[in-house]
Amino acid sequence: MKKHTKVYLKYFDYGLEDFIPCTACGKRAVDIHHIKPRGLGGSKSKDFIANLVALCRECHTKAESSKKFNEYVKEKHLKLL
């Protein structure tokens, strides 16, 4: 398991056994998505809670390919913080 996944789980008081809903659709989240991609500059500073969001695989794929959907995910995520 990646370090930022553990941090994300701990921050929201979740364990691996918990159901973690996809921020976008409510299905079971299986991926951690970087709202602002780490690849833009390769900075590890992108691994902070406001930039990490739990998504199902379908929504993760959609967020990676659609700026509009990624912005929607960001807005929903920031309301939860």
Side-chain angles (χ1 to χ4, degrees):
M1 178 183 300
K2 293 183 179 180
K3 181 180 178 183
H4 65 265
T5 302
K6 290 179 185 177
V7 170
Y8 190 76
L9 290 170
K10 184 177 178 183
Y11 181 86
F12 289 103
D13 199 28
Y14 282 116
L16 290 175
E17 69 284 353
D18 290 313
F19 175 82
I20 301 169
C22 172
T23 300
C25 73
K27 293 184 207 173
R28 181 178 291 276
V30 295
D31 291 335
I32 301 296
H33 171 64
H34 288 85
I35 295 168
K36 185 171 182 183
R38 286 181 67 198
L40 298 178
S43 173
K44 290 190 183 251
S45 67
K46 303 285 187 268
D47 286 345
F48 54 95
I49 297 301
N51 192 49
L52 301 172
V53 61
L55 296 175
C56 69
R57 184 62 43 90
E58 182 179 328
C59 289
H60 191 194
T61 300
K62 192 172 178 180
E64 293 286 334
S65 62
S66 168
K67 286 184 181 183
K68 186 175 180 177
F69 188 73
N70 192 52
E71 190 60 34
Y72 165 76
V73 168
K74 176 182 176 182
E75 289 174 18
K76 282 195 78 172
H77 176 61
L78 293 177
K79 286 180 184 178
L80 296 173
L81 296 180

